[in-house]
């Protein structure tokens, strides 16, 4: 019997498997696809840097085709109001830079790194079912017809969450019923200097775009709209994406010479929570444990950070029989998702954007907000938490009286295209 089996070779699975191997466990990772494979989630956060260092992949990221990211710009679709949050002006030096990545290459790098550190990796090996009745053992059926056993199984199978579907008590997040349409383009201009690597978020009245420079050549462009709008608008994804680009002055200008080099991909129903993330012989990690909306690029960070925390908890479970750290892991992930949810659900409100996109640097508010955008979400620092409470108090005042920041002329912003 194996000690640990990890299902899925995305960032959560590769990280969990590598860290378990570094702790001396015998680990098998099974991945359904053959890498490299396309995946979305291309903008990383600097609070992932410590972990990338521990995995030993930073020199490879620096040598590879990945693009350095020093900040994020938020701008209205008419280009009238905007702000660039810079990590290198607001955070300690260790968090000045992160990377924009082509996920096919990034995930391959992490998976190869896991194998190089001793993980047995089997690609093109889908898990079809998992049996968890015996608390000290997990039995996995593979699509190859084999059955494999381990003392513990880590489900990092992404939004399909093979164990989570059955044991996780999954719930959709009603307020965040969105769909995303995206593709890679060439010939999209970017600013000079460090700002060239920024994520750009373009805010519409009822939707938003991302522009993510994933290599020196390629720009990932995505549109996120309400699911209901898509269902009612009667347009296929490609037409909705391209017509909304044309109807949004900021995007139309940036994309005027753009050439699309991939198909238009679609993702729906990506925001959900899992009530139960752990059991005596399993843990869910990464998207398998929950995901909330891509607006702040949190997914890969949460996947890898979750894998880091869970590795310590699984080690305790296997060496000392204790569930305590697994339960603590579940609370930590839920807490972080809850804090992100507060930001993300507010993002879709006008008064939030008015305060957020026209920030004043009083009481250390700016570094606290940049910290959240950089992934400083597991912090227990009381001053940081108080600053964020103050930020939300300012938004409440803005909603009532509009005295905190100039109003944005919301009705004049472009909207997602319809027939
Ligand atoms: C529209 C959109 C935009 C996003 N943008 C960003 C962004 O800019 N930045 C960011 O950080 N995050 C972003 N995300 C989130 C990001 O995509 C995910 O959070 C991240 O990929 C999670 O990593 P993971 O390892 O948990 O899962 P995945 O990357 O999904 O990996 C899971 C792996 O498991 C494998 N698998 C699945 N089922 C099985 C099975 N039965 N047997 C074996 N293997 C299996 C899959 O093949 C896959 O390789 C975005 C998400 C969406 C929907």
């Amino acid at each position: 019997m194996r000690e640990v089996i990890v299902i899925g070779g995305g960032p959560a699975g590769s990280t969990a498997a590598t860290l378990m191997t570094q702790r001396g466990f015998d680990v098998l990772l099974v991945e359904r696809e053959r890498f490299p494979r396309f995946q979305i989630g291309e903008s990383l956060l600097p609070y992932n840097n410590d972990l990338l260092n521990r995995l030993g992949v930073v020199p490879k990221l620096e040598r590879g085709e990945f693009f350095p990211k020093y900040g994020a710009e938020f701008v209205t679709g008419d280009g009238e109001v905007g702000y660039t949050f810079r990590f290198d002006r607001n955070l300690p030096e260790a968090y000045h830079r992160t990377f924009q990545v082509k996920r096919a290459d990034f995930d391959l790098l992490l998976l190869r790194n896991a194998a190089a550190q001793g993980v047995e990796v089997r690609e093109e090996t889908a898990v079809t079912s998992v049996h968890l009745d015996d608390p000290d053992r997990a039995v996995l059926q593979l699509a190859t017809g084999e059955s494999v056993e381990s003392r513990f199984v880590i489900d990092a199978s992404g939004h399909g969450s093979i164990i989570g579907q059955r044991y996780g008590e999954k719930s959709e997040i009603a307020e965040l019923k969105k769909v995303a349409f995206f593709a890679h383009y060439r010939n999209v201009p970017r600013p000079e200097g460090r700002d060239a690597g920024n994520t750009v978020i373009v805010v519409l009245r009822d939707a938003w775009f991302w522009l993510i420079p994933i290599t020196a050549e390629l720009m990932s462009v995505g549109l996120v709209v309400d699911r209901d709008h898509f269902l009612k608008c009667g347009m296929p994804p490609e037409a909705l994406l391209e017509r909304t680009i044309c109807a949004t002055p900021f995007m139309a200008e940036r994309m005027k010479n753009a050439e699309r080099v991939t198909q238009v991909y679609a993702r729906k129903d990506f925001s959900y929570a899992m009530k139960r993330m752990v059991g005596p012989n399993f843990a869910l990690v990464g998207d398998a444990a929950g995901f909330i909306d891509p607006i702040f690029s949190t997914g890969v960070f949460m996947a890898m950070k979750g894998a880091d925390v869970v590795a310590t908890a699984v080690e305790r479970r296997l060496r000392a029989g204790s569930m305590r750290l697994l339960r603590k892991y579940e609370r930590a992930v839920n807490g972080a998702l809850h804090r992100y949810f507060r930001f993300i659900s507010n993002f879709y409100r006008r008064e939030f954007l008015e305060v957020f996109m026209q920030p004043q640097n009083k009481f250390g508010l700016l570094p606290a907000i940049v910290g959240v955008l950089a992934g400083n979400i597991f912090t227990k620092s009381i001053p940081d938490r108080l600053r964020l409470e103050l930020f939300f108090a300012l938004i409440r005042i803005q909603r009532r009286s509009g005295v905190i920041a100039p109003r944005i002329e919301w009705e004049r912003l472009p909207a997602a295209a319809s027939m």
Side-chain angles (χ1 to χ4, degrees):
M1 179 161 60
R2 295 277 175 168
E3 285 178 309
V4 179
I5 297 180
V6 176
I7 310 172
S14 294
T15 305
T18 307
L19 296 176
M20 291 309 294
T21 301
Q22 287 180 353
R23 287 169 158 81
F25 290 94
D26 149 49
V27 184
L28 169 68
L29 183 153
V30 279
E31 162 57 51
R32 186 175 57 194
E33 310 285 333
R34 172 148 297 274
F35 280 26
R37 53 92 178 92
F38 182 87
Q39 176 58 301
I40 192 60
E42 298 152 321
S43 189
L44 306 188
L45 301 185
Y47 273 74
N48 216 4
N49 289 352
D50 303 338
L51 183 50
L52 291 170
N53 273 313
R54 270 193 286 135
L55 293 172
V57 295
V58 173
K60 290 181 194 147
L61 285 167
E62 284 170 342
R63 279 198 306 272
E65 252 206 300
F66 307 101
F67 208 77
K69 165 186 172 188
Y70 291 89
E73 178 184 356
F74 289 74
V75 60
T76 51
D78 57 3
E80 290 295 317
V81 180
Y83 192 82
T84 301
F85 297 91
R86 293 190 172 90
F87 304 138
D88 55 349
R89 296 208 187 146
N90 292 284
L91 299 176
E93 200 178 345
Y95 307 117
H96 281 185
R97 179 201 65 179
T98 180
F99 293 96
Q100 313 282 21
V101 301
K102 202 196 236 184
R103 280 290 299 278
D105 297 343
F106 179 70
D107 290 13
L108 178 67
L109 190 158
L110 291 182
L111 193 66
R112 293 282 173 274
N113 186 60
Q117 297 201 26
V119 176
E120 183 184 338
V121 175
R122 286 179 65 180
E123 292 174 72
E124 293 179 288
T125 307
V127 175
T128 52
S129 64
V130 183
H131 304 277
L132 298 167
D133 306 335
D134 177 346
D136 294 317
R137 202 167 66 119
V139 183
L140 285 75
Q141 294 298 329
L142 306 182
T144 55
E146 292 161 83
S147 154
V148 284
E149 289 182 18
S150 60
R151 292 178 64 200
F152 201 93
V153 58
I154 297 177
D155 180 359
S157 63
H159 65 277
S161 192
I162 186 161
I163 296 180
Q165 294 292 353
R166 183 144 171 228
Y167 297 95
E169 300 174 47
K170 182 175 178 177
S171 56
E172 219 181 288
I173 300 173
E175 293 156 80
L176 295 175
K177 286 189 180 150
K178 309 274 176 196
V179 286
F181 304 112
F182 43 92
H184 292 168
Y185 292 79
R186 270 203 207 103
N187 295 335
V188 182
R190 45 187 90 175
E192 295 291 314
R194 286 190 163 183
D195 283 345
N198 290 348
T199 296
V200 181
I201 300 290
V202 184
V203 178
L204 279 62
R205 208 162 63 217
D206 57 354
W208 58 273
F209 283 103
W210 76 70
L211 290 153
I212 299 178
I214 53 173
T215 68
E217 288 271 295
L218 291 181
M219 186 70 77
S220 169
V221 178
L223 171 69
V224 178
V225 295
D226 288 338
R227 189 169 68 184
D228 286 349
H229 176 85
F230 172 62
L231 294 175
K232 280 185 207 142
C233 78
M235 272 185 277
E238 198 176 309
L240 179 59
L241 176 63
E242 294 188 347
R243 282 188 48 193
T244 309
I245 289 173
C246 293
T248 304
F250 183 93
M251 291 298 292
E253 174 59 27
R254 282 276 167 111
M255 302 287 289
K256 64 184 179 210
N257 298 317
E259 176 198 347
R260 182 156 60 78
V261 295
T262 64
Q263 67 180 87
V264 173
Y265 295 92
R267 283 284 302 272
K268 64 179 172 67
D269 299 335
F270 39 71
S271 298
Y272 51 87
M274 294 286 179
K275 196 166 166 196
R276 186 171 178 221
M277 296 177 193
V278 298
N281 48 4
F282 78 88
L284 315 179
V285 67
D287 276 11
F291 178 68
I292 308 181
D293 203 273
I295 181 66
F296 293 130
S297 305
T298 54
V300 172
F301 166 72
M302 284 297 292
M304 294 181 70
K305 176 75 183 171
D308 186 17
V309 179
V310 96
T312 309
V314 176
E315 178 177 28
R316 175 71 70 88
R317 170 74 187 143
L318 292 179
R319 297 211 197 283
S322 165
M323 285 290 295
R324 195 176 67 83
L325 292 188
L326 281 170
R327 294 209 187 87
K328 200 169 163 194
Y329 157 77
E330 186 178 73
R331 283 196 301 277
V333 173
N334 267 325
L337 289 176
H338 187 79
R339 284 191 284 283
Y340 273 134
F341 178 71
R342 193 173 179 201
F343 265 85
I344 289 166
S345 55
N346 269 288
F347 179 84
Y348 290 98
R349 293 183 189 140
R350 165 188 175 160
E351 59 275 4
F352 175 90
L353 287 165
E354 287 166 348
V355 177
F356 176 74
M357 289 169 66
Q358 305 172 97
Q360 298 167 18
N361 193 12
K362 285 186 189 148
F363 312 113
L365 275 179
L366 193 54
I369 291 166
V370 177
V372 172
L373 295 177
N376 187 20
I377 201 78
F378 288 88
T379 178
K380 292 198 167 61
S381 152
I382 302 289
D384 277 351
R385 291 202 173 179
L386 286 176
R387 287 187 187 106
L388 295 181
E389 288 310 319
L390 175 61
F391 174 64
F392 283 107
L394 295 178
I395 291 164
R396 286 194 294 276
I397 297 171
Q398 175 76 359
R399 183 180 312 146
R400 281 198 296 273
S401 57
V403 297
I404 302 298
R407 290 288 193 197
I408 295 174
E409 288 193 56
W410 211 249
E411 296 68 30
R412 291 182 50 191
L413 290 188
S418 46
M419 295 281 259

